[in-house]
Amino acid sequence: QVHLVESGGGTVKPGGSLRLSCAASGFSFSDVHMNWIRQVPGKGLEWISYVSESGTTVYYEESVKGRFTISRDNSKNVLYLQMNNLRLDDTAVYYCAGDQYGDFTFDNWGQGTLVYVSS
Amino acid sequence: QSVLTQPPSVSGTPGQRVTISCSGSNSNIGSNTVKWYQQFPGMAPKLLIHSTSQRPSGVPDRFSGSKSGTSASLAISGLQFEDGADYYCSSWDDSLNVYVIFGGGTKLTVL
C-alpha cells in the first residue's frame, strides 16, 4: 500500500529556514515523479514544486523560485523540500504528492505537515 | 484569484445529480487534460478523476468528468451524504512560468 509521510514542519520566524521530508513506502519510489503542494488553512491548493523520477529535472512555482529547493534520495525513498528565507505568506500545510502518470496527476498524497511562519 | 474558476459552493439532496464547473482558458483546459480532487476537512486531497474523464481504481462510477472547450465539469450522480466535501479541478497551463494550476475549490453540501 502506498504510504507518504511528511515531517519537518513547525514554527519559524520570517527569514528562517526549514527542511521538509517525505518518506515513501509501498511503491517503487524511483519510478514516480514527486511534487510539493501547499494549502493555507481554509484556502485552496497551490502547487509549488516538481522533481522528476531521477531528480534531474525540477520545476518551481514563481513565488518560491530561488528560495525553495526540491530534491530526492531514491536510495532512501525520501523527498525533500529545503525552504529558505521563509515569509509570512509561506504559512500553510505542505503535502508531498506522487505522480505515476507523469502529467501532474497527483494520485497519492501524504497527510501534510504544517509550516507556520510568524514573528 | 485562481486561473481556474469554480463556484464556491453547490448543494443537492440525496439521490440527485449535481455538477461542478471549472472554467479556464485555451492555455490550460482548452489544450490539456483536467484532474479532479476530493478533500474532506482535515484530510489530504484524493484523486477523483484524471485525464479529464478517467476514474482511478476504487472511485465509484457515480463520479464522472468531462470537458468542452475551455470548461470542464465534474458530475456526481446518486448523491450521497458522504459526498459532502471540497472539490478542486486542476490542469497544466502552457503559459510561461506557470505549470500546474488549481481551481479555487467548490464546497458540496448534501442537504
Side-chain angles (χ1 to χ4, degrees), chain A residues 10-53:
Chain A
T11 301
V12 62
K13 293 187 186 312
S17 298
L18 277 178
R19 188 176 83 155
L20 305 184
S21 299
C22 170
S25 61
F27 65 102
S28 181
F29 181 69
S30 60
D31 291 337
V32 175
H33 309 256
M34 295 297 296
N35 297 263
W36 287 99
I37 296 155
R38 67 185 179 185
Q39 184 174 35
V40 174
K43 302 296 184 183
L45 300 167
E46 181 185 32
W47 170 85
I48 57 170
S49 190
Y50 157 93
V51 62
S52 61
E53 313 99 305

Side-chain angles (χ1 to χ4, degrees), chain A residues 9-119:
Chain A
T11 301
V12 62
K13 293 187 186 312
S17 298
L18 277 178
R19 188 176 83 155
L20 305 184
S21 299
C22 170
S25 61
F27 65 102
S28 181
F29 181 69
S30 60
D31 291 337
V32 175
H33 309 256
M34 295 297 296
N35 297 263
W36 287 99
I37 296 155
R38 67 185 179 185
Q39 184 174 35
V40 174
K43 302 296 184 183
L45 300 167
E46 181 185 32
W47 170 85
I48 57 170
S49 190
Y50 157 93
V51 62
S52 61
E53 313 99 305
S54 64
T56 54
T57 301
V58 297
Y59 301 133
Y60 298 97
E61 192 273 331
E62 202 63 31
S63 69
V64 308
K65 204 176 288 186
R67 300 188 299 123
F68 290 10
T69 302
I70 190 171
S71 63
R72 63 192 296 164
D73 186 335
N74 286 344
S75 68
K76 297 180 179 178
N77 290 350
V78 181
L79 172 73
Y80 301 102
L81 185 68
Q82 177 67 44
M83 304 187 296
N84 298 330
N85 192 19
L86 282 160
R87 309 187 307 213
L88 295 175
D89 61 357
D90 293 318
T91 293
V93 174
Y94 286 72
Y95 296 100
C96 63
D99 167 19
Q100 65 170 322
Y101 298 91
D103 66 349
F104 294 93
T105 294
F106 309 123
D107 52 301
N108 286 290
W109 297 66
Q111 85 289 350
T113 186
L114 177 63
V115 172
Y116 184 57
V117 184
S118 173
S119 55

Side-chain angles (χ1 to χ4, degrees), chain B residues 7 10 25 45 62 65 71 74 76 80 90 102:
Chain B
V10 298
S25 66
R62 303 186 295 106
S71 291
L74 173 71
I76 309 172
Q80 299 181 3
S90 175
F102 287 95

